[in-house]
C-alpha cells in the first residue's frame, strides 16, 4: 500500500543448525549460602538472636534496675523455674481449656448465623447488621457486664470470648460464600449438587481461604481477649480452688504484684510462644495442607 | 447411552439419527440486569441430532451463551420449550454437561483425577471408587494428560485445564456436551491444537456436542452444522452445513467461500466490527 512507511528490506535467514549453548548454564544449582539465606526461618531467627544479644548487653552494662528490665538470662531462668516448679504449664493448660471452649461454642454459633445468612435474606440482614454493630466493640469491654451476669469465673471469660470469635468468623465465612465464582456454582449444580450437599461439597471448600482467614482472626482476637480478661480478674479465678487453677494472665498479674519482674517477662514470653505456636505452626500447617496446596492463596 | 461405536469412522453416525436428541422450540430467553430486562434470544428454534457437532455462531449479544445456559437448565425460557430426548428441561443435570470458557471451572481443591471422579460420583455415574478411578484414568489418557492425574489445577497451563474440563465432561458421557467458547481464553497456537484434539476425540466416540463460538473460522473447523445468529435480540439467521470442512481446508477456496458467506450474512446487519472475528486464526 502506498501509505506504508518505508522499511529497510533485509535478507531473510534460517538457522541451519542450532548448536549447544556454550556460555552459562541452563539450570545452575544454587550455592549453599544462597540456599540458606533464602530460608525464611533462618533470616527471622538471626533477627531474634540480634535482639536477644542487644537486650542482654544493654541490661549487663547500662546498670538498669532488675525491677525495670531484667536480664534476658534472668528471664530465661525464671521461665525455666516457672515451668519446672511453679506449674506454668498447668496455667497455660487452664487458659487453653477456657479458650478452646469459648472458640468451639463461638464457631458453632457463627456456623448457625452464616447458614441463616446464606439461606435467607432475613438471615443476611441479621448478620450484616449485628456484625456492623458489634464487630467494632472490643470484647474486653464486655467483661464488666459479663462479670455482672455470670459472676467471677470461667463463664464470664467464655462469654467475652464468644463475642471475639463469632463476628469475624461469621463475617468472613459469609463473604467467602458470597464470592464463590458463578462458574464454580454452575459446575456444582451441573453435577447434581443441591441443598446441604452443595454447601458441604462445593461452597465450603470454594470459600475455604476466607473461612480460614476468619478462623485465624477469631483465634487471634480470642487469645488477646483471654489474656486481658485473666489479667483483670485472674486473681478471683485462682481463688476458686486450691493449687494452681489460674491462667497465664493470672501468672503475669500475680508476679507483678510480688515484684517478680523476671517472672512477668517469662509470662509475657509464654503468651508470645503460645501465640506463635498456634498462628505459625498450627494454622500454617492447615494452610500448607489446604489453600496453599490448592493454589488458592499466594505462597 | 452407548455411543462408543469407535469403529464407525467418518461423518455418518451409525445409531438412530432420525430423531433429534435435543429440540429447541421457539425459545425466548430473558434476564434482568439492575436496570433492564434483556431479551437475549427471540423465538429461536433448532434440532440437534446424535453425533452432531452443532455450533451456535454469532457476534456478542446474540444470546448464544444465554441459550446454552438455558439448555443446561440454569434459566427457564419465557416462551417455547427445550426438550432433551423428548423430556422438557427444568433444571441443571448431569445428562447435559457444560464446559465453560473460564479456567476456574475446575475445582482447585481437587486434583485432575479427583475432579473427574467428583463429577462421576456426584453425577451418579459410578457406584464404586474403583470404577470411577478407571473411567477417570481412561479419559485422562484420552486428553493426553497421563502423568498429570495427581496434579492440582493451579499447576496446569490454560490449555491443560481446558483438557481436564473436556475430559470431565466426556467422562460423564452426557447426552449432549455443551461447550461455551471453551478455547476463547487460550492463545492461538494452543487453540488450534485443542480444536484438532477435540475433533480426534469426536472421531473416537462420536459424542454429540453443542459448541458456542464467535469465530467463523472455529465454527467451520469444529462444527458439522452451524446455526448463524443475529444479535439484539438473538434470532436464527441461517443453518448451514460444515461437516465437509476442517483444518485441512483452511485457506481453500471452498472454505473461504463459506467463511465469506457467513461474514456477509453477519455484517449485513452492520454489526460492530470488533464483535465478530471473521479472520481470527484458529
Amino acid at each position: 500500500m502506498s501509505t506504508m512507511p518505508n522499511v529497510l528490506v533485509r535478507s531473510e535467514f534460517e538457522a541451519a543448525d542450532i548448536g549447544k549453548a556454550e556460555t552459562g548454564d541452563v539450570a545452575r544449582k544454587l550455592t549453599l549460602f544462597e540456599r540458606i539465606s533464602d530460608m525464611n526461618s533462618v533470616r527471622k531467627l538471626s533477627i531474634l538472636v540480634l535482639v536477644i544479644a542487644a537486650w542482654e548487653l544493654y541490661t549487663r552494662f547500662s546498670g538498669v534496675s532488675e525491677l525495670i528490665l531484667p536480664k534476658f538470662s534472668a528471664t530465661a531462668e525464671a521461665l525455666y523455674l516457672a515451668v519446672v516448679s511453679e506449674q506454668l504449664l498447668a496455667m497455660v493448660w487452664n487458659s487453653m481449656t477456657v479458650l478452646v471452649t469459648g472458640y468451639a461454642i463461638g464457631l458453632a454459633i457463627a456456623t448457625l448465623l452464616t447458614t441463616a445468612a446464606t439461606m435467607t435474606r432475613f438471615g443476611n440482614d441479621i448478620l450484616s447488621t449485628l456484625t456492623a454493630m458489634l464487630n467494632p466493640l472490643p470484647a474486653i469491654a464486655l467483661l464488666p457486664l459479663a462479670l455482672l451476669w455470670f459472676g467471677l469465673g470461667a463463664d464470664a471469660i467464655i462469654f467475652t470470648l464468644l463475642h471475639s470469635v463469632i463476628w469475624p468468623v461469621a463475617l468472613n465465612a459469609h463473604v467467602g460464600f458470597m464470592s464463590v465464582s458463578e462458574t464454580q456454582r454452575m459446575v456444582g449444580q451441573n453435577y447434581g449438587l443441591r441443598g446441604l450437599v452443595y454447601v458441604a461439597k462445593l461452597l465450603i471448600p470454594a470459600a475455604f481461604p476466607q473461612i480460614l482467614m476468619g478462623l485465624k482472626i477469631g483465634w487471634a482476637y480470642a487469645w488477646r481477649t483471654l489474656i486481658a480478661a485473666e489479667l483483670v480478674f485472674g486473681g478471683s479465678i485462682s481463688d476458686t480452688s486450691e493449687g494452681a487453677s489460674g491462667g497465664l494472665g493470672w501468672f503475669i498479674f500475680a508476679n507483678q504484684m510480688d515484684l517478680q519482674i523476671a517472672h512477668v517477662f517469662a509470662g509475657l514470653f509464654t503468651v508470645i510462644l503460645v501465640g506463635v505456636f498456634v498462628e505459625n505452626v498450627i494454622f500454617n500447617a492447615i494452610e500448607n495442607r489446604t489453600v496453599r496446596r490448592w493454589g488458592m492463596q499466594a505462597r | 447411552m452407548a455411543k462408543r461405536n469407535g469403529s464407525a469412522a467418518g461423518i455418518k453416525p451409525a445409531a438412530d439419527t432420525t430423531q433429534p436428541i435435543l429440540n429447541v422450540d421457539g425459545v425466548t430467553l430473558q434476564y434482568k440486569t439492575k436496570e433492564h430486562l434483556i431479551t437475549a434470544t427471540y423465538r429461536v428454534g433448532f434440532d440437534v441430532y446424535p453425533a452432531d457437532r452443532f455450533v451456535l455462531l454469532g457476534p456478542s449479544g446474540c444470546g448464544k451463551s444465554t441459550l446454552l445456559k438455558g439448555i443446561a437448565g440454569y434459566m427457564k425460557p419465557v416462551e417455547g420449550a427445550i426438550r432433551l430426548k423428548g423430556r422438557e428441561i427444568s433444571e441443571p443435570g448431569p445428562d447435559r454437561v457444560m464446559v465453560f470458557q473460564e479456567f476456574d471451572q475446575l475445582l482447585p481443591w481437587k486434583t485432575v483425577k479427583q475432579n473427574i471422579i467428583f463429577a462421576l460420583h456426584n453425577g451418579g455415574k459410578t457406584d464404586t471408587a474403583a470404577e470411577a478411578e478407571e473411567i477417570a484414568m481412561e479419559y485422562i489418557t484420552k486428553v493426553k494428560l497421563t502423568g498429570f492425574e495427581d496434579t492440582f489445577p493451579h499447576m496446569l497451563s490454560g490449555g491443560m485445564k481446558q483438557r481436564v474440563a473436556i475430559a470431565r465432561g466426556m467422562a460423564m458421557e452426557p447426552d449432549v456436551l455443551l461447550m461455551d467458547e471453551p478455547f476463547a481464553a487460550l492463545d492461538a497456537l494452543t487453540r488450534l491444537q485443542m480444536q484438532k484434539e477435540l475433533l480426534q476425540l469426536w472421531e473416537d466416540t462420536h459424542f454429540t456436542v453443542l459448541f458456542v463460538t464467535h469465530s467463523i473460522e472455529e465454527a467451520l473447523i469444529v462444527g458439522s452444522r452451524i446455526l448463524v445468529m443475529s444479535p439484539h435480540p438473538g434470532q436464527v439467521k441461517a443453518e448451514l452445513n460444515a461437516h465437509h470442512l476442517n483444518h485441512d481446508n483452511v485457506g481453500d477456496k471452498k472454505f473461504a467461500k463459506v467463511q465469506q458467506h457467513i461474514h456477509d450474512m453477519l455484517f449485513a446487519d452492520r454489526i460492530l466490527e470488533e464483535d465478530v472475528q471473521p479472520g481470527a486464526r484458529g
Side-chain angles (χ1 to χ4, degrees):
Chain A
M1 272 187 254
S2 58
T3 53
M4 222 152 76
N6 285 330
V7 293
L8 178 63
V9 179
R10 284 145 292 173
S11 58
E12 299 177 347
F13 77 91
E14 286 175 35
D17 179 34
I18 301 175
K20 252 192 155 182
E22 278 168 16
T23 49
D25 307 317
V26 178
R28 177 177 64 88
K29 239 187 150 112
L30 296 175
T31 63
L32 191 64
F33 179 74
E34 278 174 317
R35 267 180 287 160
I36 288 178
S37 58
D38 261 356
M39 280 193 244
N40 258 325
S41 50
V42 171
R43 292 204 311 272
K44 284 179 184 163
L45 215 62
S46 49
I47 290 178
L48 213 58
V49 169
L50 278 180
V51 170
I52 288 171
W55 177 4
E56 185 68 26
L57 288 175
Y58 175 75
T59 45
R60 261 176 204 281
F61 299 110
S62 72
V64 66
S65 161
E66 285 270 318
L67 287 179
I68 303 294
L69 184 62
K71 291 202 252 315
F72 172 76
S73 46
T75 304
E77 196 188 339
L79 187 58
Y80 173 74
L81 282 177
V83 169
V84 171
S85 56
E86 292 164 40
Q87 290 174 307
L88 180 63
L89 292 185
M91 290 178 172
V92 172
W93 177 254
N94 288 341
S95 291
M96 292 309 278
T97 314
V98 175
L99 180 66
V100 169
T101 312
Y103 196 64
I105 301 174
L107 287 194
I109 297 174
T111 308
L112 285 181
L113 274 173
T114 316
T115 311
T118 312
M119 302 273 216
T120 64
R121 195 160 87 167
F122 181 60
N124 190 2
D125 292 344
I126 289 184
L127 180 66
S128 51
T129 314
L130 285 183
T131 317
M133 215 168 71
L134 295 176
N135 203 26
L137 182 68
I140 195 70
L142 284 180
L143 191 60
L145 213 57
L147 288 178
L148 199 67
W149 291 346
F150 299 97
L152 301 175
D155 289 351
I157 297 190
I158 289 175
F159 175 79
T160 49
L161 288 183
L162 288 185
H163 175 79
S164 60
V165 171
I166 292 171
W167 311 118
V169 172
L171 185 68
N172 275 284
H174 186 55
V175 169
F177 285 159
M178 291 293 110
S179 54
V180 172
S181 87
E182 197 54 40
T183 313
Q184 275 174 18
R185 289 170 190 273
M186 289 202 279
V187 167
Q189 290 164 13
N190 200 164
Y191 296 113
L193 301 184
R194 299 287 188 278
L196 283 178
V197 184
Y198 171 71
V199 175
K201 285 192 172 177
L202 196 111
L203 283 189
I204 290 181
F208 200 68
Q210 278 91 341
I211 293 174
L212 192 62
M213 168 115 58
L215 293 178
K216 276 169 82 174
I217 297 175
W219 197 90
Y221 280 6
W223 179 235
R224 285 152 183 73
T225 304
L226 174 76
I227 299 299
E230 284 181 349
L231 273 175
V232 171
F233 73 119
S236 330
I237 287 194
S238 78
D239 291 340
T240 53
S241 74
E242 294 292 312
S245 65
L248 200 45
W250 162 244
F251 177 85
I252 296 171
F253 180 78
N255 279 301
Q256 188 251 333
M257 283 295 153
D258 297 342
L259 288 181
Q260 297 277 2
I261 305 306
H263 278 71
V264 172
F265 270 77
L268 292 178
F269 263 106
T270 315
V271 173
I272 294 175
L273 287 175
V274 173
V276 166
F277 176 74
V278 175
E279 282 170 35
N280 290 13
V281 177
I282 295 184
F283 276 112
N284 225 348
I286 297 176
E287 275 178 7
N288 283 337
R289 276 162 171 260
T290 57
V291 289
R292 256 176 232 153
R293 188 152 171 250
W294 305 335
M296 292 167 87
Q297 182 181 304
R299 281 166 61 77
Chain B
M1 278 298 292
K3 280 184 291 177
R4 297 203 196 176
N5 45 351
S7 57
I11 303 299
K12 273 185 195 160
D16 175 23
T17 58
T18 52
Q19 287 296 312
I21 196 161
L22 177 74
N23 163 244
V24 175
D25 184 12
V27 165
T28 302
L29 286 165
Q30 291 180 326
Y31 61 88
K32 278 182 195 149
T33 65
K34 280 225 161 103
E35 286 164 23
H36 302 280
L37 177 72
I38 311 278
T39 301
T41 66
Y42 183 72
R43 292 186 181 166
V44 170
F46 58 88
D47 286 326
V48 178
Y49 287 81
D52 265 350
R53 286 169 282 130
F54 201 97
V55 175
L56 306 180
L57 171 68
S60 309
C62 76
K64 54 196 188 303
S65 285
T66 314
L67 194 53
L68 208 62
K69 280 191 185 126
I71 294 165
Y74 297 115
M75 54 195 298
K76 279 199 168 60
V78 291
E79 187 184 8
I82 304 170
R83 293 181 205 93
L84 185 75
K85 291 166 135 183
R87 274 185 306 106
E88 198 157 328
I89 284 166
S90 58
E91 57 170 8
D95 51 358
R96 292 144 284 143
V97 176
M98 186 102 151
V99 175
F100 298 87
Q101 176 184 338
E102 293 83 9
F103 295 149
D104 71 346
Q105 64 186 299
L106 299 182
L107 309 178
W109 60 93
K110 296 203 173 281
T111 62
V112 168
K113 190 167 68 185
Q114 286 167 352
N115 258 286
I116 300 175
I117 292 175
F118 175 88
L120 290 169
H121 179 67
N122 291 299
K125 205 67 194 160
T126 54
D127 298 322
T128 65
E131 191 189 356
E133 168 113 13
E134 192 187 319
I135 298 178
M137 288 312 295
E138 180 191 334
Y139 281 93
I140 287 171
T141 312
K142 273 199 171 138
V143 296
K144 299 175 184 154
L145 282 176
T146 320
F148 290 96
E149 59 268 19
D150 294 324
T151 310
F152 284 96
H154 73 106
M155 308 287 281
L156 302 175
S157 69
M160 289 158 105
K161 284 180 192 163
Q162 294 310 81
R163 281 204 194 109
V164 179
I166 292 169
R168 187 174 67 180
M170 287 183 59
M172 293 297 292
E173 297 187 332
D175 293 333
V176 53
L177 188 65
L178 310 173
M179 303 181 92
D180 188 5
E181 305 201 37
F183 309 144
L186 301 174
D187 65 90
L189 289 173
T190 311
R191 193 181 314 148
L192 192 74
Q193 182 69 26
M194 295 293 293
Q195 289 165 352
K196 282 185 177 158
E197 286 180 15
L198 182 68
L199 289 175
Q200 278 164 15
L201 288 170
W202 184 87
E203 288 292 336
D204 271 4
T205 50
H206 287 199
F207 54 90
T208 314
V209 57
L210 196 58
F211 192 103
V212 163
T213 181
H214 60 254
S215 156
I216 297 174
E217 192 188 70
E218 184 168 71
L220 292 177
I221 292 168
V222 169
S224 63
R225 195 162 171 88
I226 300 176
L227 187 82
V228 184
M229 294 175 72
S230 69
H232 308 299
Q235 281 171 294
V236 174
K237 195 110 189 162
E239 221 182 288
L240 307 171
N241 283 325
H243 57 84
H244 54 297
L245 298 172
N246 61 34
H247 278 290
D248 303 333
N249 306 111
V250 178
D252 278 8
K253 268 191 188 150
K254 198 169 53 171
F255 192 96
K257 206 178 138 202
V258 186
Q259 200 172 358
Q260 190 61 43
H261 179 54
I262 298 175
H263 185 228
D264 292 344
M265 212 180 327
L266 292 174
F267 276 77
D269 286 345
R270 303 195 148 268
I271 294 147
L272 290 175
E273 185 129 359
E274 61 264 28
D275 286 349
V276 186
Q277 303 173 349
R281 283 298 313 247

